[in-house]
Amino acid sequence: MMGLFITFEGSEGSGKSTQTRALYERLHAEGYPVILVREPGGTRIGDMIRRIVLDLQHTEMDPTTETFLFSAARAQLVNEVIRPYLNQGGIVICDRYADSTYAYQGYGLGRDLVELQTLTAIATGGLRPDMSIYLDISADEGLERKRRRRNGELPKGVEWNRLDAREVAYHRRVADGYRDLIHADRQRWRSCDACLSIEELAEIIYQHVRPQLHHITRIDASGR
C-alpha cells in the first residue's frame, strides 16, 4: 500500500504555510488520512536542527555545514514520519523538501547539483514526491511581503531567519533555480500564482490534487 506524497515549494513570502494548512484542513475534513509536516523540522531531532540552521546569530555557518544540516533533518523526517505514513496508505503534505536544497544551496549558494542529488538520495532513501506545488512569486515581492508581515503591516507575524536575511541577489538565484527545476520535470510540478487571493489559490491547488486521490481510502469519523 502506498499513499500520496505532496510537497510545496516557493520563495520566501510565497504563502506556503498558509496553503499547506488549507489543503491539509480540506483533505482532513473530507475524511482522508493526511498529515502535515515541514522542513526542516517535523521531528524532535529535526526541530533542534531547525533552531540551529535558521538562527540569525549563526552568520559564520559554512555552506557545506548548512547543506548537511538540512539533509540530516530531512533524513530523520523521512524515516521517522513520512515513509511510515505513506506505507500505511496516507497522504503526506510537506512544506519544503529536497527541491529546496537544490534551489537554496545549489542555485543560491552555488553548491554542485550532482553532489546535492547524491546527498539527497542518501538522506531520503530515494523517496520522491508524487506531486510538487510551486507557489510562484518574484523574489523581491516575496521578501517585501515577508518584511511587512514581520513589521506588523500585514496580518500574521512571521519568522525572519538567517536565510531570509541574505542579499536579494541570492533570493533571485533561488527563484531562477526553481524555474529550472520545474522545466526539467514538468510532469511532477504544478506552478500556481502566489499573488492570487488565499481562497482562489487554495481552490486551484485543490483542483490539482483532487485527481491524485483516487487510490486513497478515506476513514470514517471514528478513525477506522
Side-chain angles (χ1 to χ4, degrees), residues 84-205:
Y85 201 78
L86 291 175
N87 288 341
Q88 295 172 17
I91 303 168
V92 176
I93 301 169
C94 193
D95 184 345
R96 296 203 182 282
Y97 190 60
D99 293 296
S100 286
T101 289
Y102 303 141
Y104 281 80
Q105 284 75 54
Y107 287 87
L109 293 180
R111 304 293 298 176
D112 184 89
L113 289 174
V114 174
E115 290 182 355
L116 292 180
Q117 289 167 359
T118 300
L119 178 61
T120 297
I122 295 170
T124 64
L127 180 65
R128 289 170 51 84
D130 298 297
M131 172 184 287
S132 295
I133 307 292
Y134 179 65
L135 303 187
D136 191 8
I137 192 171
S138 73
D140 298 74
E141 187 170 355
L143 286 172
E144 179 61 22
R145 182 189 285 184
K146 198 162 188 180
R147 287 192 191 99
R148 292 177 66 192
R149 286 203 181 102
R150 179 189 61 170
N151 296 334
E153 299 172 38
L154 291 175
K156 298 182 180 180
V158 70
E159 172 187 64
W160 187 260
N161 62 51
R162 190 175 60 84
L163 275 63
D164 298 329
R166 287 174 173 158
E167 74 279 4
V168 69
Y170 165 82
H171 292 282
R172 289 171 182 162
R173 292 194 299 272
V174 170
D176 289 342
Y178 273 122
R179 294 186 182 97
D180 283 354
L181 293 169
I182 293 168
H183 180 75
D185 192 4
R186 292 189 180 277
Q187 186 172 355
R188 172 167 63 92
W189 288 93
R190 304 292 186 275
S191 184
C192 303
D193 184 357
C195 294
L196 295 172
S197 72
I198 291 174
E199 295 75 17
E200 287 178 298
L201 184 53
E203 181 61 28
I204 289 170
I205 291 169

Side-chain angles (χ1 to χ4, degrees), residues 4 7 38 55 100 153 195 199 220:
L4 178 64
T7 61
R38 70 174 181 176
D55 195 319
S100 286
E153 299 172 38
C195 294
E199 295 75 17
D220 61 24

